[in-house]
Amino acid sequence: MVSKKNGFFRFLWSIIPGAGEMYMGFMKQGVTLMAVFAGIIAVAIAMNMVFFFFPLPIIWFYSFFHVHNLASMSDEDFYAQEDNPLFDWKDYKFLSNVDRAKGQKIAAWVLIVIGAIMLWNLAVDIVWDFLRILNFPWRLWNQITYCVPQLVVSLLMIYFGVYLIRGKKKELDLQMEKEEAKGDENHDA
């Protein structure tokens, strides 16, 4: 049941991303925020890449102020609020054009990259332990093994950025062709 509940406990629960929404009865919103927050932490730790932590403060502040903004609404507006997930994939046009097979392929590649980076980190740890015994120059080894996963992720981000730009350019070109064809039809009539 949705209600504003006790202000002190609402404040305490709002400290944990998603928990304040769940305390007030907005389960879908709370679970979405909590899952995104915990998922980012899990991926960053599993891949040993701290730059994945950068959205965490944004999500935390959003969740904290979202709870207090909901509580400050008038009773009429508050009880009119629907408990929808915060992220509806239907709102993203580029995802609505992705068919199921292509979506599975993208998800598979994401899992492969995450698995490869995790395997890389495990292999580096094993080799590092062996090289330490041999008094190998550890700074060089550390620098190389630290840079390779970042290089791979950086190249993948650049590739997908170029892919998205090309897709948008093709979409704009098709739209221009349609408008020109309409203009020619109107001119002929």
Side-chain angles (χ1 to χ4, degrees):
M1 174 170 169
V2 175
S3 77
K4 292 184 179 180
K5 306 243 178 166
N6 181 292
F8 176 72
F9 289 116
R10 184 177 58 240
F11 172 78
L12 289 178
W13 286 115
S14 70
I15 294 172
I16 303 169
E21 286 85 356
M22 293 169 74
Y23 175 70
M24 292 172 41
F26 296 101
M27 293 298 177
K28 291 178 185 175
Q29 292 178 14
V31 168
T32 304
L33 279 166
M34 199 173 281
V36 169
F37 194 82
I40 289 172
I41 292 172
V43 168
I45 290 172
M47 294 176 65
N48 197 20
M49 295 191 167
V50 294
F51 66 85
F52 281 122
F53 285 125
F54 86 90
L56 291 181
I58 297 166
I59 296 168
W60 186 89
F61 279 107
Y62 176 85
S63 177
F64 182 83
F65 287 111
H66 184 247
V67 168
H68 297 290
N69 285 335
L70 285 171
S72 68
M73 290 179 168
S74 67
D75 288 342
E76 183 178 310
D77 290 339
F78 179 82
Y79 290 110
Q81 288 292 313
E82 293 185 31
D83 183 25
N84 295 324
L86 293 177
F87 311 106
D88 190 0
W89 301 114
K90 295 173 188 171
D91 293 339
Y92 301 99
K93 288 184 180 180
F94 70 93
L95 289 176
S96 64
N97 296 335
V98 176
D99 63 348
R100 185 182 181 117
K102 192 172 184 178
Q104 287 177 341
K105 187 175 181 180
I106 291 169
W109 277 108
V110 167
L111 291 173
I112 288 169
V113 168
I114 290 172
I117 290 173
M118 290 172 66
L119 188 62
W120 172 266
N121 289 334
L122 180 64
V124 165
D125 288 343
I126 292 170
V127 172
W128 168 243
D129 287 340
F130 178 72
L131 292 177
R132 207 173 335 160
I133 295 169
L134 301 175
N135 292 326
F136 189 81
W138 63 271
R139 285 187 183 203
L140 174 66
W141 174 254
N142 195 24
Q143 194 65 18
I144 291 170
T145 57
Y146 180 75
C147 291
V148 170
Q150 288 186 340
L151 177 67
V152 170
V153 171
S154 300
L155 290 173
L156 286 172
M157 289 177 151
I158 291 169
Y159 172 77
F160 285 119
V162 169
Y163 176 79
L164 290 173
I165 289 172
R166 283 187 181 168
K168 188 65 174 175
K169 185 178 182 315
K170 287 179 185 177
E171 183 181 313
L172 290 173
D173 290 343
L174 285 172
Q175 187 178 15
M176 296 262 304
E177 289 175 15
K178 287 179 184 178
E179 289 176 6
E180 288 175 4
K182 266 187 182 177
D184 291 342
E185 288 175 8
N186 292 338
H187 187 275
D188 293 339

